[in-house]
Amino acid sequence: MISWREAWGGRHARALDPQGHEPKTKLFRPALTHLDRLEAESIYIMREAVAECDNPVMLYSIGKDSSVLLHLALKAFYPAKPPFPLLHVDTTWKFREMIAFRDQRARELGLELLVHTNPDGLARNVGPITHGSEIHTDVMKTQALKQALERYGFDAAFGGARRDEEKSRAKERVFSLRNAHHRWDPKRQRPEPWQLYNGRKRKGESLRIFPLSNWTELDIWLYIHRENIPIVPLYFAAERPVVERDGMLILVDDERLPLHPGEQPQLRSVRFRTLGCYPLTGAVESTAATLPDIIRETLEARTSERHGRAIDKDTAASMERKKQEGYF
Amino acid sequence: MTVHPAPESFMLEGYLAAHERKSLLRFITCGSVDDGKSTLIGRLLYESKRLFDDQIAALERDSRKHGTQAGSIDFALLVDGLASEREQGITIDVAYRFFSTDRRTFIVADTPGHEQYTRNMATGASTADVAIVLVDARKGITRQTRRHSLLVSLLGIRHVVLAINKMDLVDWSEAKFTEIVTEFQGFSAELGFEHVTAIPLSALHGDNIVASSSRARWYKGPTLLSHLETVDVEPLGGAEPFRLPVQWVNRPNPDFRGFSGLVTSGMVRPGERVRVLPSGLETTVTRIVTHGGEQDEAVAGQSITLLLSDEVDVSRGDIIASAGRPPHVSDRIEARLFWMATEHLKEGDQFLLKLGAGTVPAMVVSVRQRIDLTTLAPVEASSFGANDVGDVTLALDYSIAFDSYGESRQTGGFILIDRESFDTVAIGLVDGAESRRDAGSQPTRNDGQVTWLKSIREQKRRSVLKAMSWRVIGSVATVAAAFVLTQDTRLATAIGAIEVVTKLVLYYGHERLWARIRFGLSIAAKQHGTDPQSSGAS
């Protein structure tokens, strides 16, 4: 190794160090832990967004990331309440336990919860089983989200997406601009140096804001554990009736899931790493019934979190395309 | 309700303790197109066992479709996440990746090499501790290597890894390696890097990434990963002054008025005297409020809410600072800019300037110089093109508080926002050397609080106005005098008209000539006390 040191502002580098001088290592407990820093950054992002935007909303999808996001919002504006409502885009195909959890949380915290379902999709009975995951996601999630944002005139929406989830998300800014048609243009992203987020936008444009951009799945679990954040029980392993389809374990959550000939729901000890529409979300076999068990399982995992999500695999680069169409 | 207050297993406690001791290192990869940046990161993730089985399976599938490695795994496809990137085999935007080893947690920003996307490289560089500058061993140092090194230095990264890649294609030649190192050392001497480590490697084959290569026995240094695990990037210790840019005034009820923000430097305790800038009012911190309870101190990196003892006027964009060492306050900023828009930047252009939590209209009063990429020396310039770096003077609509970038990245860095498209068009760094020099030259310096006001070049429209106002008065007098002498209205008017036109032109030309001559100009300095915007600060 060749290394050289130079005094600040010095004009000439010193001679090369022939010994291959190794920089010294410091191992001490930092004043703030990694989680402390992530938390402070997320709170900073939320405060910036609220200060710079006229009418923000928090997309509340009831999953673990949403739970963390909500917890951070409570912290960011304490002792005031978060100065924005929660919005849940309900596809009508969420797990029943999710809906029960959603209503209970909103009631406990005394927050305004808006629930929107695409009325056209509802009238046409669009669903993942009859129409396939692509059409279902487009009509009941992407179109529904656009309807809700326009109906209430929201100019900024918080989301719990993380950069470690998926390749196109890894490319997205914290303040992500959408044009009047809610489209994301990956080639026209604004530079975002330091923590200087640009919240200005033209009429009709809106922002998606991702305070959890720099968190990983493991960080989320460690933080839920540290802060005792309530989450949907589906994340913990329990005996549940499932059927196996295309290599995925699908929970028989209600009578709407048609069973194929010869298919018989089996009781297996399963849990979910991620939650979406139940016919599109695969469970994993697990006995992790506590947070420490889940953290251990996350550490040892050999497959990625979104492995169990059918919608990411519809076509190559499918998440990027969905985002361009206005999906969160 | 649904939290499982689980029996705390011993294993988890041990793991958490170890995990919390790990420090975080943010680094970027930069360099020219095709030097192998994305491949290097893909290889780092792969070799440090940070890839999941389904990701590897997808990678193998993608490699067959888009890969450039004839069927074997193309690691670049791991990070090039956009469809058009995979199609073209280039990186367009910065990708963030996360991995950790037993010693450290890493956030990597893989940045684009194309000149067209340099703005995205700067986004990744602004928060990095270490920059890996990749160089293709066959091509050596390129123009883009120089540009990236300049930006890396500009944005304050002091630790550089010079990764000389594709060594397999030059038969692991030590002579070639030394030649490139010497060239880099030569041109980077002016860039102020504290530490440069050169490593010969092959990202494609994995040599010297995680494991030492047997093909370069002459190289005795660390592998890339072991260097990243051990490099010491802790800033030089020292009590930095307290800074809290106010983001949000928290008023849940008439009895509570808190000021929320992220402590960007230093620390604060209840009872300490603080100064609110730019108003300059002094007050005392009474409480530090967080959701978890009241704190007896807050340190840099924490998001907090402060309560103050007096009913002082504080709003978003203000900075609450230690009373003893407050930031500068001025309506003029000398700064180094990285210009990112395709349209040219020129004198008279107007923008919105965002610094800390404040946004203020700003105008470019002068473009002072541009940095030449080949020599890294300043050259005369009157405008900047895309991706140029240079120095400007900005006039703000009103005074704001700031530090120099050398003192603080958070309160010394800013962006310029276009007033119509609202795009972010420039990254700016407040020039510390300039403001210090100006302040230091003033005999009236008062405990470091002198702000500065550079003499400026007069603009054309001002010269026109001055010429006209002068001639209107002069012409009235001329016409009156001519009428008294000749008693002829038409003649007097004609004389007046001829004089107005000729002297207007002469006066304007004379003004413009003097606007370019610096002879006899003195630099005026002002103190906070004399500035109505910052009364009470002195």
Side-chain angles (χ1 to χ4, degrees), chain B residues 434-472:
Chain B
E434 274 303 312
S435 59
R436 265 199 302 279
R437 196 184 312 142
D438 291 347
S441 68
Q442 293 308 309
T444 51
R445 190 174 178 202
N446 173 18
D447 118 86
Q449 285 173 41
V450 173
T451 52
W452 32 274
L453 186 68
K454 285 275 281 189
S455 63
I456 46 155
R457 204 178 280 179
E458 292 200 332
Q459 294 216 331
K460 284 182 185 146
R461 55 173 184 240
R462 182 175 164 85
S463 300
V464 169
L465 280 173
K466 276 171 87 174
M468 281 171 54
S469 79
W470 172 242
R471 279 327 304 160
V472 166

Short mmCIF file of all heavy atoms in Angstrom, two decimals, chain B residues 434-472:
data_model
loop_
_atom_site.label_atom_id
_atom_site.label_comp_id
_atom_site.label_asym_id
_atom_site.label_seq_id
_atom_site.Cartn_x
_atom_site.Cartn_y
_atom_site.Cartn_z
N GLU B 434 -12.26 33.39 2.10
CA GLU B 434 -12.60 34.75 1.69
C GLU B 434 -13.12 35.58 2.85
O GLU B 434 -12.67 36.68 3.10
CB GLU B 434 -13.67 34.71 0.60
CG GLU B 434 -13.12 34.56 -0.80
CD GLU B 434 -12.13 35.65 -1.17
OE1 GLU B 434 -12.44 36.82 -0.95
OE2 GLU B 434 -11.05 35.31 -1.68
N SER B 435 -14.11 34.98 3.56
CA SER B 435 -14.74 35.79 4.61
C SER B 435 -13.75 36.05 5.73
O SER B 435 -13.74 37.10 6.32
CB SER B 435 -15.99 35.12 5.13
OG SER B 435 -15.69 33.86 5.66
N ARG B 436 -12.89 35.06 6.01
CA ARG B 436 -11.91 35.28 7.07
C ARG B 436 -10.93 36.36 6.68
O ARG B 436 -10.58 37.21 7.46
CB ARG B 436 -11.15 33.98 7.38
CG ARG B 436 -11.75 33.22 8.54
CD ARG B 436 -10.75 32.24 9.11
NE ARG B 436 -10.28 31.30 8.13
CZ ARG B 436 -10.95 30.22 7.76
NH1 ARG B 436 -12.10 29.95 8.31
NH2 ARG B 436 -10.49 29.39 6.86
N ARG B 437 -10.48 36.28 5.41
CA ARG B 437 -9.49 37.26 4.97
C ARG B 437 -10.06 38.67 5.07
O ARG B 437 -9.46 39.58 5.59
CB ARG B 437 -9.07 36.96 3.53
CG ARG B 437 -7.79 37.68 3.12
CD ARG B 437 -7.49 37.41 1.66
NE ARG B 437 -7.58 36.00 1.34
CZ ARG B 437 -8.08 35.55 0.20
NH1 ARG B 437 -8.55 36.37 -0.70
NH2 ARG B 437 -8.13 34.26 -0.04
N ASP B 438 -11.30 38.79 4.60
CA ASP B 438 -11.91 40.11 4.63
C ASP B 438 -12.08 40.61 6.06
O ASP B 438 -11.78 41.74 6.39
CB ASP B 438 -13.28 40.07 3.95
CG ASP B 438 -13.10 39.87 2.47
OD1 ASP B 438 -11.96 40.00 1.98
OD2 ASP B 438 -14.08 39.55 1.81
N ALA B 439 -12.55 39.71 6.93
CA ALA B 439 -12.76 40.10 8.31
C ALA B 439 -11.43 40.45 8.96
O ALA B 439 -11.32 41.43 9.69
CB ALA B 439 -13.45 38.99 9.08
N GLY B 440 -10.42 39.65 8.65
CA GLY B 440 -9.12 39.84 9.29
C GLY B 440 -8.47 41.14 8.90
O GLY B 440 -7.68 41.70 9.65
N SER B 441 -8.79 41.63 7.72
CA SER B 441 -8.13 42.84 7.26
C SER B 441 -8.72 44.09 7.91
O SER B 441 -8.24 45.18 7.71
CB SER B 441 -8.25 42.95 5.74
OG SER B 441 -9.60 43.18 5.41
N GLN B 442 -9.79 43.89 8.66
CA GLN B 442 -10.44 45.05 9.25
C GLN B 442 -9.92 45.33 10.65
O GLN B 442 -9.96 44.47 11.52
CB GLN B 442 -11.96 44.82 9.32
CG GLN B 442 -12.60 44.76 7.96
CD GLN B 442 -12.24 45.96 7.11
OE1 GLN B 442 -12.37 47.10 7.53
NE2 GLN B 442 -11.75 45.71 5.90
N PRO B 443 -9.46 46.55 10.87
CA PRO B 443 -8.97 46.89 12.21
C PRO B 443 -10.10 46.95 13.24
O PRO B 443 -9.86 46.83 14.42
CB PRO B 443 -8.35 48.28 12.01
CG PRO B 443 -8.98 48.83 10.77
CD PRO B 443 -9.33 47.67 9.93
N THR B 444 -11.35 47.08 12.77
CA THR B 444 -12.46 47.23 13.71
C THR B 444 -13.05 45.88 14.10
O THR B 444 -14.16 45.81 14.60
CB THR B 444 -13.58 48.06 13.07
OG1 THR B 444 -13.87 47.49 11.80
CG2 THR B 444 -13.18 49.50 12.92
N ARG B 445 -12.32 44.82 13.87
CA ARG B 445 -12.85 43.49 14.13
C ARG B 445 -13.25 43.34 15.60
O ARG B 445 -12.49 43.66 16.50
CB ARG B 445 -11.76 42.47 13.80
CG ARG B 445 -12.29 41.09 13.80
CD ARG B 445 -11.21 40.16 13.32
NE ARG B 445 -11.73 38.82 13.39
CZ ARG B 445 -10.98 37.76 13.45
NH1 ARG B 445 -9.67 37.88 13.41
NH2 ARG B 445 -11.51 36.58 13.50
N ASN B 446 -14.44 42.85 15.80
CA ASN B 446 -14.97 42.78 17.15
C ASN B 446 -15.37 41.35 17.47
O ASN B 446 -16.38 40.87 17.04
CB ASN B 446 -16.17 43.73 17.24
CG ASN B 446 -16.89 43.60 18.57
OD1 ASN B 446 -16.33 43.08 19.52
ND2 ASN B 446 -18.11 44.07 18.61
N ASP B 447 -14.60 40.66 18.17
CA ASP B 447 -14.76 39.26 18.61
C ASP B 447 -15.32 38.36 17.50
O ASP B 447 -16.21 37.56 17.66
CB ASP B 447 -15.48 39.28 19.98
CG ASP B 447 -16.83 38.62 20.09
OD1 ASP B 447 -16.80 37.41 20.31
OD2 ASP B 447 -17.82 39.30 19.95
N GLY B 448 -14.67 38.52 16.37
CA GLY B 448 -14.97 37.63 15.25
C GLY B 448 -16.30 37.91 14.58
O GLY B 448 -16.74 37.14 13.75
N GLN B 449 -16.96 38.98 14.94
CA GLN B 449 -18.29 39.16 14.40
C GLN B 449 -18.38 40.13 13.23
O GLN B 449 -19.46 40.55 12.86
CB GLN B 449 -19.19 39.73 15.48
CG GLN B 449 -19.57 38.70 16.49
CD GLN B 449 -20.31 39.39 17.57
OE1 GLN B 449 -21.13 40.26 17.32
NE2 GLN B 449 -20.01 39.04 18.79
N VAL B 450 -17.23 40.48 12.69
CA VAL B 450 -17.29 41.39 11.55
C VAL B 450 -17.82 40.62 10.35
O VAL B 450 -17.36 39.55 10.03
CB VAL B 450 -15.89 41.92 11.25
CG1 VAL B 450 -15.90 42.74 9.97
CG2 VAL B 450 -15.40 42.76 12.39
N THR B 451 -18.82 41.12 9.74
CA THR B 451 -19.21 40.53 8.47
C THR B 451 -18.64 41.42 7.39
O THR B 451 -18.06 42.47 7.69
CB THR B 451 -20.73 40.45 8.33
OG1 THR B 451 -21.24 41.73 8.60
CG2 THR B 451 -21.29 39.42 9.26
N TRP B 452 -18.79 41.00 6.17
CA TRP B 452 -18.03 41.67 5.15
C TRP B 452 -18.92 42.08 4.01
O TRP B 452 -19.97 41.50 3.76
CB TRP B 452 -16.91 40.76 4.67
CG TRP B 452 -17.32 39.34 4.74
CD1 TRP B 452 -17.24 38.52 5.81
CD2 TRP B 452 -17.99 38.60 3.73
NE1 TRP B 452 -17.79 37.32 5.54
CE2 TRP B 452 -18.26 37.33 4.27
CE3 TRP B 452 -18.38 38.87 2.42
CZ2 TRP B 452 -18.88 36.34 3.56
CZ3 TRP B 452 -19.01 37.88 1.70
CH2 TRP B 452 -19.25 36.64 2.29
N LEU B 453 -18.48 43.11 3.35
CA LEU B 453 -19.25 43.63 2.24
C LEU B 453 -18.24 43.95 1.16
O LEU B 453 -17.50 44.90 1.28
CB LEU B 453 -19.97 44.90 2.71
CG LEU B 453 -20.94 45.53 1.75
CD1 LEU B 453 -22.13 44.62 1.58
CD2 LEU B 453 -21.38 46.87 2.29
N LYS B 454 -18.15 43.12 0.17
CA LYS B 454 -17.16 43.36 -0.88
C LYS B 454 -17.64 44.49 -1.77
O LYS B 454 -18.81 44.66 -2.02
CB LYS B 454 -17.00 42.10 -1.73
CG LYS B 454 -16.21 41.01 -1.06
CD LYS B 454 -14.73 41.19 -1.24
CE LYS B 454 -14.29 40.70 -2.62
NZ LYS B 454 -12.85 40.68 -2.73
N SER B 455 -16.67 45.28 -2.25
CA SER B 455 -17.03 46.25 -3.28
C SER B 455 -17.48 45.45 -4.49
O SER B 455 -16.97 44.38 -4.77
CB SER B 455 -15.81 47.07 -3.66
OG SER B 455 -14.85 46.21 -4.22
N ILE B 456 -18.45 45.97 -5.21
CA ILE B 456 -18.95 45.18 -6.32
C ILE B 456 -18.92 46.00 -7.60
O ILE B 456 -18.91 47.22 -7.57
CB ILE B 456 -20.40 44.71 -6.07
CG1 ILE B 456 -21.22 45.88 -5.54
CG2 ILE B 456 -20.43 43.55 -5.14
CD1 ILE B 456 -22.66 45.74 -5.81
N ARG B 457 -18.94 45.27 -8.69
CA ARG B 457 -18.93 45.92 -9.97
C ARG B 457 -20.33 46.45 -10.25
O ARG B 457 -21.31 45.75 -10.05
CB ARG B 457 -18.55 44.86 -11.01
CG ARG B 457 -17.96 45.44 -12.23
CD ARG B 457 -17.57 44.34 -13.17
NE ARG B 457 -16.31 43.73 -12.77
CZ ARG B 457 -15.76 42.72 -13.43
NH1 ARG B 457 -16.39 42.19 -14.45
NH2 ARG B 457 -14.61 42.22 -13.05
N GLU B 458 -20.41 47.68 -10.73
CA GLU B 458 -21.73 48.23 -10.99
C GLU B 458 -22.33 47.61 -12.24
O GLU B 458 -21.64 47.31 -13.21
CB GLU B 458 -21.61 49.74 -11.20
CG GLU B 458 -21.23 50.44 -9.91
CD GLU B 458 -21.57 51.90 -9.96
OE1 GLU B 458 -21.59 52.46 -11.06
OE2 GLU B 458 -21.81 52.49 -8.90
N GLN B 459 -23.63 47.40 -12.20
CA GLN B 459 -24.28 46.79 -13.34
C GLN B 459 -24.69 47.83 -14.36
O GLN B 459 -24.82 49.01 -14.05
CB GLN B 459 -25.52 46.05 -12.86
CG GLN B 459 -25.12 44.90 -11.97
CD GLN B 459 -26.03 43.75 -12.19
OE1 GLN B 459 -27.18 43.93 -12.55
NE2 GLN B 459 -25.52 42.56 -12.00
N LYS B 460 -24.91 47.36 -15.60
CA LYS B 460 -25.19 48.29 -16.70
C LYS B 460 -26.42 49.13 -16.44
O LYS B 460 -26.44 50.33 -16.68
CB LYS B 460 -25.37 47.50 -18.00
CG LYS B 460 -24.03 47.02 -18.53
CD LYS B 460 -24.21 46.28 -19.84
CE LYS B 460 -22.87 45.71 -20.27
NZ LYS B 460 -22.99 44.44 -20.95
N ARG B 461 -27.48 48.49 -15.95
CA ARG B 461 -28.71 49.25 -15.81
C ARG B 461 -28.57 50.39 -14.79
O ARG B 461 -29.21 51.41 -14.90
CB ARG B 461 -29.88 48.32 -15.44
CG ARG B 461 -29.66 47.48 -14.22
CD ARG B 461 -30.96 46.76 -13.90
NE ARG B 461 -30.78 46.00 -12.66
CZ ARG B 461 -30.90 44.69 -12.57
NH1 ARG B 461 -31.21 43.97 -13.61
NH2 ARG B 461 -30.71 44.08 -11.41
N ARG B 462 -27.65 50.14 -13.80
CA ARG B 462 -27.42 51.22 -12.83
C ARG B 462 -26.72 52.39 -13.52
O ARG B 462 -27.06 53.56 -13.27
CB ARG B 462 -26.56 50.67 -11.68
CG ARG B 462 -26.30 51.70 -10.60
CD ARG B 462 -25.57 51.07 -9.42
NE ARG B 462 -25.00 52.12 -8.58
CZ ARG B 462 -25.66 52.74 -7.62
NH1 ARG B 462 -26.91 52.40 -7.38
NH2 ARG B 462 -25.09 53.69 -6.91
N SER B 463 -25.78 52.08 -14.42
CA SER B 463 -25.08 53.14 -15.14
C SER B 463 -26.05 53.94 -16.00
O SER B 463 -25.97 55.17 -16.08
CB SER B 463 -23.98 52.54 -16.03
OG SER B 463 -23.05 51.84 -15.24
N VAL B 464 -26.98 53.24 -16.65
CA VAL B 464 -27.96 53.92 -17.50
C VAL B 464 -28.81 54.89 -16.66
O VAL B 464 -29.00 56.05 -17.01
CB VAL B 464 -28.88 52.88 -18.18
CG1 VAL B 464 -30.07 53.57 -18.85
CG2 VAL B 464 -28.10 52.06 -19.19
N LEU B 465 -29.27 54.38 -15.51
CA LEU B 465 -30.10 55.22 -14.64
C LEU B 465 -29.35 56.45 -14.15
O LEU B 465 -29.88 57.56 -14.14
CB LEU B 465 -30.59 54.39 -13.45
CG LEU B 465 -31.79 53.49 -13.74
CD1 LEU B 465 -32.07 52.60 -12.54
CD2 LEU B 465 -33.03 54.34 -14.06
N LYS B 466 -28.06 56.21 -13.78
CA LYS B 466 -27.27 57.32 -13.28
C LYS B 466 -27.09 58.38 -14.37
O LYS B 466 -27.23 59.59 -14.13
CB LYS B 466 -25.89 56.83 -12.81
CG LYS B 466 -25.90 56.29 -11.39
CD LYS B 466 -24.60 55.61 -11.04
CE LYS B 466 -23.57 56.59 -10.51
NZ LYS B 466 -22.37 55.85 -10.04
N ALA B 467 -26.79 57.93 -15.59
CA ALA B 467 -26.58 58.85 -16.70
C ALA B 467 -27.85 59.66 -16.96
O ALA B 467 -27.81 60.89 -17.13
CB ALA B 467 -26.19 58.06 -17.95
N MET B 468 -29.01 58.97 -16.93
CA MET B 468 -30.26 59.67 -17.23
C MET B 468 -30.62 60.69 -16.16
O MET B 468 -31.00 61.82 -16.47
CB MET B 468 -31.39 58.66 -17.44
CG MET B 468 -31.30 58.05 -18.83
SD MET B 468 -32.38 56.67 -19.12
CE MET B 468 -33.94 57.33 -18.71
N SER B 469 -30.46 60.27 -14.90
CA SER B 469 -30.86 61.21 -13.84
C SER B 469 -29.97 62.45 -13.87
O SER B 469 -30.42 63.57 -13.66
CB SER B 469 -30.79 60.51 -12.47
OG SER B 469 -29.47 60.45 -12.00
N TRP B 470 -28.68 62.22 -14.14
CA TRP B 470 -27.77 63.36 -14.23
C TRP B 470 -28.14 64.27 -15.39
O TRP B 470 -28.19 65.49 -15.27
CB TRP B 470 -26.33 62.84 -14.36
CG TRP B 470 -25.33 63.91 -14.64
CD1 TRP B 470 -24.54 64.01 -15.75
CD2 TRP B 470 -25.00 65.03 -13.83
NE1 TRP B 470 -23.74 65.10 -15.69
CE2 TRP B 470 -24.01 65.77 -14.51
CE3 TRP B 470 -25.47 65.52 -12.60
CZ2 TRP B 470 -23.45 66.95 -14.01
CZ3 TRP B 470 -24.91 66.70 -12.11
CH2 TRP B 470 -23.91 67.39 -12.81
N ARG B 471 -28.48 63.71 -16.54
CA ARG B 471 -28.75 64.51 -17.73
C ARG B 471 -30.07 65.26 -17.63
O ARG B 471 -30.22 66.33 -18.20
CB ARG B 471 -28.75 63.63 -18.99
CG ARG B 471 -27.38 63.31 -19.56
CD ARG B 471 -26.33 64.40 -19.39
NE ARG B 471 -26.69 65.71 -19.93
CZ ARG B 471 -26.13 66.84 -19.57
NH1 ARG B 471 -25.18 66.85 -18.65
NH2 ARG B 471 -26.51 67.98 -20.11
N VAL B 472 -31.04 64.71 -16.98
CA VAL B 472 -32.32 65.40 -16.86
C VAL B 472 -32.12 66.73 -16.12
O VAL B 472 -32.55 67.79 -16.57
CB VAL B 472 -33.35 64.52 -16.13
CG1 VAL B 472 -34.56 65.34 -15.71
CG2 VAL B 472 -33.79 63.38 -17.04
#
